[in-house]
Amino acid sequence: VLNLRPYLCKGAQGEGGPVNYDLRAVIVHVDKAGYSHFGHYIAFVKCATHRKGEFRWFLIDDSIIQEVEEESVLRQQAYLLFYIRISGGEASQATGSEKKRGAKG
C-alpha cells in the first residue's frame, strides 16, 4: 500500500487521513540490447479471487499467462506502475469520474 498523504499540499481534499493506493499492475520493458525503443513489454497484473480480499498475481507475455508470486513482481525493474485508490482497506469499485456520474461501486 502506498500512502500519498505526505506528498500532498496542505489544504488538499480529505486532509489528515491517509490517501492509500494499492499496486494492481506492473509493466516491464524487456530489453537485452540496452535501447528503450527496442525490446518487448510484459505485464504483471494483480487479480481478485472469489474470496473477498484475496488477490493473485499473473504474468502476461503475449499469449502466455501464468501465475507468479508477489515477490517476483516486486523485484522487477518497472517501466510503468498502475495503482488503484483504496478506502477503508478495500479497493474502490468505481473511479472518481464514475462516482460523479452516480455509478454504484
Side-chain angles (χ1 to χ4, degrees):
V1 174
L2 173 64
N3 179 10
L4 292 181
R5 172 59 58 205
Y7 308 103
L8 297 179
C9 298
K10 291 188 184 234
Q13 183 178 9
E15 186 174 359
V19 181
N20 292 330
Y21 286 81
D22 186 44
L23 182 63
R24 288 303 171 98
V26 177
I27 307 300
V28 176
H29 181 242
V30 180
D31 177 22
K32 295 179 180 160
Y35 300 104
S36 61
H37 54 281
F38 292 110
H40 180 69
Y41 293 90
I42 59 174
F44 293 88
V45 180
K46 185 177 181 182
C47 299
T49 67
H50 65 283
R51 293 187 182 124
K52 186 175 183 177
E54 184 177 288
F55 295 90
R56 297 181 348 194
W57 281 96
F58 292 90
L59 165 62
I60 303 171
D61 185 353
D62 292 333
S63 63
I64 300 168
I65 300 172
Q66 64 185 46
E67 188 172 1
V68 295
E69 295 294 323
E70 183 177 48
E71 292 78 26
S72 174
V73 177
L74 298 178
R75 286 193 304 266
Q76 300 298 315
Q77 293 292 318
Y79 176 76
L80 184 63
L81 302 173
F82 289 88
Y83 285 87
I84 185 169
R85 185 166 182 179
I86 55 177
S87 59
E90 295 182 20
S92 299
Q93 296 297 313
T95 64
S97 60
E98 289 171 332
K99 288 178 182 177
K100 289 177 187 172
R101 290 188 303 232
K104 294 182 181 180

